[in-house]
Amino acid sequence: QVQLVESGGGLVQAGGSLRLSCAASGSIISINSMGWYRQPPGKQRELVAVATSVGSTNYADSVKGRFTVSRDNTKNTVSLQMNSLKPEDTAVYYCNAVLKLSVAAYWGNYWGQGTQVTVSS
């Protein structure tokens, strides 16, 4: 019913940049927030950045000043511009959306398949 598709991952040297994109599709009535989480090898999934429906953004301290999350409400897309990448940023990055499929539904939490980001030293 709902699909979140990420793109833009890859291999990059430390200090380089990558831009991740995510598009939400399906019978979506409303999207409350869209953002990015990541899961390094052997670690728990953690919040990277999120953009709310009212335009506010939140970032993990580890990425603040280096990453920028941008949302296009008309396209149901969210992007993550990652600059000054560090080896510690290596992880599978997941797109996340909090959305409704109908006006009567509760807000639901949906995830993309994930895209690998590898930063070499």
Side-chain angles (χ1 to χ4, degrees):
Q1 197 74 28
V2 176
Q3 189 175 28
L4 302 178
V5 180
E6 303 103 331
S7 63
L11 175 64
V12 66
Q13 291 181 310
S17 299
L18 283 174
R19 185 177 180 87
L20 306 182
S21 297
C22 174
S25 62
S27 56
I28 300 168
I29 298 298
S30 180
I31 299 180
N32 180 275
S33 65
M34 297 189 75
W36 295 91
Y37 290 70
R38 68 185 182 188
Q39 188 167 16
K43 298 182 179 180
Q44 293 180 319
R45 189 174 300 184
E46 63 183 15
L47 173 70
V48 178
V50 62
T52 72
S53 61
V54 295
S56 64
T57 57
N58 298 101
Y59 297 91
D61 288 341
S62 59
V63 307
K64 189 172 296 184
R66 300 187 297 120
F67 292 9
T68 303
V69 63
S70 302
R71 178 179 173 183
D72 187 339
N73 293 335
T74 66
K75 300 288 187 181
N76 290 340
T77 60
V78 64
S79 298
L80 185 69
Q81 179 65 46
M82 304 184 293
N83 299 326
S84 301
L85 283 162
K86 305 175 181 179
E88 307 92 87
D89 296 318
T90 295
V92 177
Y93 284 70
Y94 296 91
C95 179
N96 171 261
V98 177
L99 54 82
K100 282 186 176 183
L101 300 179
S102 70
V103 294
Y106 291 103
W107 294 106
N109 204 21
Y110 295 86
W111 298 91
Q113 186 176 349
T115 184
Q116 177 70 48
V117 172
T118 303
V119 184
S120 64
S121 59

